């Protein structure tokens, strides 16, 4: 509306009959004649010829421009919707083959055409327009969905978009009783859209049946992959006064690509309008992901676009209708409880505005803790909550947030949640709690963020409050040192671990080699220029092993050895997608088809630290006779497992070394479902524990198990990669430990597979904490502050490392620890790189 005067200006421009505007001038030809008549004076002849030639070429140029460029036409397609007032919706309008549909469609199309014809900027270019669907509108009206196609001279494309967006409908007398188009919305669309609507070969029209669900799936599902280069669409409808609840039961498509690729788009409209996109989906979602969406009215459009590459199963979806309820939020008078965005964990519906007024007893204050927070709208500019957001205490929150706390200044707090027309997310969950304003955290430390943390987390070197308020004004203990600029106390083992823990690098400065020097594996400093110069300047070969460039070099413990026994200087060359060995053995497919996760998306709503289904498909549960989970293991090929030797040591009553005692469960997620359809069960043919395993020291804690018969790989069963001897898992790298072991020290095992993210710890520092009990075949990982660790029952299980080639490697095997998750007692793992040759010897892998 604000553009009404610019529209005026635009319309007032003089127009030529053929639709070209006034800038066209064909004057040069007449002018050239005048030049010729100037007379016979010789000195002018030459000038005349020159001018004539110049004018001729100008004319030719103009003609070329006129025919080649001005006439170059482009297809412009717009999709949109319009409202037809004073018209009652009839069921027949849902079906484009009925007489009623055609009658209304024709009438509306004519109105639309007349609107176009009345606009001088649009009229000359009309090609076609078509109303392809109707749905119920508000106040006795019908919504019509249409597309229009124009053939526009290339140079007028932008002007055309403007004219369409500013299009005015002839004014209708508000008292008029007969039907009339009263509003019009249009957006430019891909010309493909018009073609899609004409081509009905992959178009489906579904109306929800009361009390039952309607199912649909991508072409070929589940028997074959969906075809390449398809454009399909599903028109979903519900009865008037209802909304659509759509749920994808399976979603397995090509990995998301920035441009192109295969994707499904959901629209909160029957026209594929960009601003009405509910979501765009690609990749594959684990079955536990709640992929549920709502429409705001009783229609939804689902489209599928695929490119020419890749074979993927596709999707299977169900939808049903629910009475349309727009009420949300409310007044709450309770001293504690929970609130969530509408329909959490489903994607919240578009167009909502919910307000919760929370009131606690008079003398108390309220604390709100957002636990899960996913309110992202890709259309919103970064860090500006202009689209979907949550507002508390005049501050807007949006995007994905880690858990956070907001405290009130009185006994009331109000929370507002707003979702706009486009892009919905899974929303939020929040807990509210009343507290004494004088004592917000009884027996706990109160962070400036309002969070309460246990007292022993104060001054432990970890940012437990999220704003470092627990690490201010601390006196460092003798196991800590003080960071230079922040004054925070940090555990001493952070010093020289290669990670900038202080933020100002002060924990790494004293141990670094001087500037322009490189630090060798043995601690020696050499000039940077001597690194990767093909001579061993360190004395241990370290400077020639981790290079960016590949060169054949002397073999050391740090270099990678090819099958032909040549050693190369590149860091982690195995399966990185580039052939580095002259014989190609570093990219051998038998070696590189491992460590893959079938699901590209992570489930967000699975609580706590439960692993997702299919997230660690190499995780194996080893049960003993009485059907009890006893140890973990990792699948490394179709018939071999790697586990810990200490799991197979006989004790006085049980012969753990006997293969017949054990059963392996692969593809398992929930210990209560060992008979589940994704689970494979195998007896063990033989167990080879490392002969160097030492019962006292736990040195060489590794065993290889052979399955009685091989397993086939599925979405839930995949082998993990075994790293080469020279593979580097640097200090500070984050790794995942998984298992069904005890949830607390001395506690009981988990039913659902658990995962925890831990970090590689400096060997020397860890050895100090663990009283010199580490051997070179052990690796320390965890947290000095405690709290996160493996525990009894996790033994033998994997320590998985996600590498830059996006494959996952077995960095360690759960081996031992002093208690579980204790402060200053990180977990100890068998260092798999140190066992590489032994594994090869026992398995041939
Ligand atoms: N030995 C234990 C087992 O048999 C595993 C201990 C791991 N402990 C630890 N704190 N990381 O399950």
């Amino acid at each position: 509306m604000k553009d009404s005067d610019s529209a005026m200006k635009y319309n007032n421009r003089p127009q030529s009959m053929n639709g070209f505007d006034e800038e066209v001038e064909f004057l040069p030809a007449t002018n050239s004649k005048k030049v010729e008549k100037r007379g016979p004076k010789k000195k002018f002849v030459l000038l005349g010829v020159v001018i004539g030639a110049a004018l001729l070429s100008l004319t030719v140029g103009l003609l070329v421009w006129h025919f080649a460029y001005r006439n170059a036409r482009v297809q412009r397609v717009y999709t949109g919707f319009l409202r037809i007032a004073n018209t009652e919706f009839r069921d027949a309008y849902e079906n484009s083959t009925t007489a009623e549909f055609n009658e209304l469609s024709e009438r509306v199309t004519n109105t639309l055409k007349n609107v176009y014809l009345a606009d001088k900027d649009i009229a000359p270019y009309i090609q076609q327009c078509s109303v392809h669907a109707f749905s119920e509108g508000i106040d006795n009206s019908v919504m019509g969905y249409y597309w229009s196609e124009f053939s526009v001279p290339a140079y007028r494309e932008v002007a055309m978009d403007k004219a369409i967006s500013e299009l005015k409908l002839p004014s209708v007398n508000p008292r008029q009783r007969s039907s009339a188009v009263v509003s019009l919305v249009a957006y430019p669309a891909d010309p493909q859209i018009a073609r899609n609507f004409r081509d009905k070969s992959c178009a489906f029209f579904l109306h929800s049946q009361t009390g039952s669900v309607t199912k649909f799936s991508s072409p070929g599902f589940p028997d074959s992959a969906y075809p390449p280069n398809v454009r399909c669409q599903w028109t979903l409808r519900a009865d008037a006064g209802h909304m659509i609840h759509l749920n994808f039961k399976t979603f397995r498509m090509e990995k998301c690509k920035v441009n192109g690729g295969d994707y499904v788009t959901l629209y909160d409209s029957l026209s594929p309008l960009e601003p009405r996109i509910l979501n765009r989906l690609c990749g594959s979602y684990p079955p536990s992901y709640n992929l549920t969406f709502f429409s705001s009215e009783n229609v939804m459009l689902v489209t599928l676009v695929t490119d020419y590459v890749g074979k993927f199963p596709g999707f299977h979806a169900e939808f049903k209708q629910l009475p349309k309820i727009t009420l949300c939020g409310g007044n709450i008078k309770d001293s504690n409880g929970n609130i969530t965005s509408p329909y959490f964990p489903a994607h919240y519906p578009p167009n909502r505005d919910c307000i919760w007024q929370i009131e606690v007893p008079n003398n108390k204050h309220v604390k709100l803790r957002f636990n899960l927070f996913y309110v992202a709208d890709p259309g919103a500019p970064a860090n500006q909550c202009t689209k979907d957001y949550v507002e508390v205490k005049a501050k807007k929150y949006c995007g994905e947030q880690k858990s956070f706390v907001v405290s009130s200044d009185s006994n009331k707090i109000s929370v507002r949640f707003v979702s706009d027309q486009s892009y919905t997310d899974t929303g939020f969950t929040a807990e509210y709690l009343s507290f004494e304003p004088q004592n917000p955290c009884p027996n706990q430390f109160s962070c400036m963020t309002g969070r309460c943390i246990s007292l022993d987390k104060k001054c432990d070197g970890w940012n437990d409050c999220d704003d470092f308020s627990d690490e201010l004004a601390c006196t460092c203990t003798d196991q800590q040192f003080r960071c230079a600029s922040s004054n925070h106390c940090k555990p001493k083992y952070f010093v020289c671990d290669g990670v900038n823990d202080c933020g100002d690098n002060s924990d790494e400065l004293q141990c670094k080699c001087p500037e322009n020097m490189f630090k060798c594996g043995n601690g020696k400093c050499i000039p940077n220029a001597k690194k990767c110069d093909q001579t061993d300047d360190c004395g241990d070969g370290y400077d020639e092993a981790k290079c960016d460039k590949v060169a054949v070099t002397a073999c050391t413990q740090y270099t990678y050895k090819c099958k032909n026994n040549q050693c190369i200087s590149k860091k982690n060359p195995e399966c990185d997608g580039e052939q580095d060995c002259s014989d190609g053995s570093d990219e051998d497919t038998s070696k590189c088809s491992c460590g893959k996760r079938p699901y590209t998306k992570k489930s967000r709503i699975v609580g706590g630290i439960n692993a997702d289904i299919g997230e660690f498909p190499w995780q194996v549960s080893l049960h003993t006779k009485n059907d009890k989970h006893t140890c973990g293991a990792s699948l490394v090929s179709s018939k071999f497992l790697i586990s810990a030797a200490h799991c197979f040591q006989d004790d006085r009553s049980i012969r753990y070394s006997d293969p017949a005692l054990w059963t392996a469960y692969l593809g398992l997620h929930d210990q209560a479902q060992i008979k589940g359809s994704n689970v494979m069960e195998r007896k063990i043919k033989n167990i080879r524990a490392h002969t160097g395993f030492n019962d006292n020291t736990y040195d060489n804690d590794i065993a290889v198990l052979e399955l009685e018969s091989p397993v086939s790989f599925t979405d839930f069963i995949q082998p993990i990669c075994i790293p080469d001897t020279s593979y580097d898992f640097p200090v500070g790298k984050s790794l995942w430990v998984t298992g069904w072991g005890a949830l607390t020290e001395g506690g009981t095992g988990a039913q659902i597979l658990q995962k925890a993210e831990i970090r590689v710890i400096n060997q020397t520092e860890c050895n100090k904490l663990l009283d010199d009990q580490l051997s070179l075949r052990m690796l320390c990982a965890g947290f000095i502050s405690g709290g996160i660790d493996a525990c009894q029952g996790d033994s033998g299980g994997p320590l998985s490392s996600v590498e830059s080639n996006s494959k996952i490697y077995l960095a360690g095997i759960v081996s031992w620890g002093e208690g579980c998750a204790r402060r200053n007692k990180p977990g100890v793992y068998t260092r798999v790189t140190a066992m590489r040759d032994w594994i090869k010897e026992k398995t041939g892998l």
Side-chain angles (χ1 to χ4, degrees), residues 36 48 291 338 499 589 614 795 803 842:
E36 263 172 52
L291 214 46
N338 291 297
V499 180
T589 40
S795 279
E803 291 299 310
K842 298 297 169 202

Side-chain angles (χ1 to χ4, degrees), residues 646 789-795 814-817 819-821 827-828:
H646 81 257
D789 193 7
C791 201
Q792 259 49 46
D794 290 323
S795 279
V814 179
S815 180
W816 62 276
C820 298
V828 183

Side-chain angles (χ1 to χ4, degrees), residues 10 90 102 230 236 289 299 310 427 463 514 550 576 585 619 665 690 692 745 754:
Y10 199 67
R90 301 191 209 163
N102 285 312
V230 290
L236 313 185
Y289 201 107
V299 291
N463 176 15
V550 198
D576 66 351
S585 55
Q619 173 82 51
Y665 290 94
H690 199 293
E745 192 175 326
Q754 301 291 298

Side-chain angles (χ1 to χ4, degrees), residues 27 39 50 76 165 173 185 196 274 401 437 441 469 496 532 618 627:
L27 296 176
V50 171
R76 281 312 271 161
S165 70
N173 179 349
V185 173
N196 292 348
E274 202 65 30
Q401 308 271 349
C441 298
S469 50
C496 303
C532 300
W618 36 86
D627 241 347

Side-chain angles (χ1 to χ4, degrees), residues 629-632 644 646-647 698 701 737 741-742 745 758 781 788-797 813-822 825-829:
H629 166 87
T630 304
C631 269
H646 81 257
C647 292
Y698 272 40
D701 192 9
V737 60
E745 192 175 326
I758 55 180
I788 304 175
D789 193 7
C791 201
Q792 259 49 46
D794 290 323
S795 279
I813 303 163
V814 179
S815 180
W816 62 276
E818 284 183 30
C820 298
R822 291 191 196 162
K825 300 292 174 196
V828 183
Y829 298 79

Side-chain angles (χ1 to χ4, degrees), residues 636-840:
V636 290
S637 76
S638 62
K639 57 174 192 196
F640 284 113
L641 309 181
I642 288 183
S643 187
H646 81 257
C647 292
F648 309 100
Q649 303 302 310
D650 296 341
D651 71 11
R652 251 182 259 157
S653 52
I654 303 172
R655 278 200 56 205
Y656 287 103
S657 62
D658 179 6
L661 180 76
W662 297 90
T663 308
Y665 290 94
L666 300 97
L668 186 67
H669 179 66
D670 181 344
Q671 287 288 348
Q673 289 179 358
I674 51 173
K675 300 276 178 234
S677 59
N678 303 328
V679 183
M680 275 193 231
E681 182 183 330
R682 287 288 182 280
K683 296 301 290 174
I684 303 296
K685 198 195 257 172
N686 64 58
I687 299 172
R688 298 186 193 107
H690 199 293
T691 44
F693 172 67
N694 182 325
D695 224 351
N696 287 321
T697 62
Y698 272 40
D699 202 7
N700 299 307
D701 192 9
I702 186 171
V704 161
L705 277 60
E706 191 177 343
L707 302 176
E708 206 160 65
S709 63
V711 284
S712 43
F713 301 146
T714 67
D715 286 348
F716 311 96
I717 302 176
Q718 290 286 324
I720 190 168
C721 301
I722 312 167
D724 181 70
T725 325
S726 64
Y727 212 96
D728 195 22
F729 297 105
V731 168
K733 180 161 194 343
S734 94
L735 308 172
W736 290 90
V737 60
T738 45
W740 289 273
L743 293 169
T744 48
E745 192 175 326
T748 53
Q751 182 183 325
I752 304 291
L753 181 64
Q754 301 291 298
K755 62 172 179 187
E757 193 177 14
I758 55 180
R759 289 224 252 155
V760 179
I761 293 177
N762 179 306
Q763 189 87 355
T764 327
E765 295 300 323
C766 187
N767 206 14
K768 283 185 208 155
L769 295 170
L770 296 177
D771 313 311
D772 276 328
Q773 296 183 80
L774 292 189
S775 79
L776 290 173
R777 272 109 11 228
M778 297 173 191
L779 177 152
C780 259
F783 292 108
I784 263 346
S785 59
I788 304 175
D789 193 7
C791 201
Q792 259 49 46
D794 290 323
S795 279
L799 182 61
S800 307
S801 176
V802 184
E803 291 299 310
S804 54
N805 59 4
S806 72
K807 290 183 181 299
I808 300 168
Y809 281 78
L810 185 65
I813 303 163
V814 179
S815 180
W816 62 276
E818 284 183 30
C820 298
R822 291 191 196 162
R823 184 165 280 248
N824 293 323
K825 300 292 174 196
V828 183
Y829 298 79
T830 313
R831 193 181 279 274
V832 175
T833 52
M835 297 294 171
R836 187 66 189 91
D837 296 338
W838 183 86
I839 295 169
K840 174 139 188 100

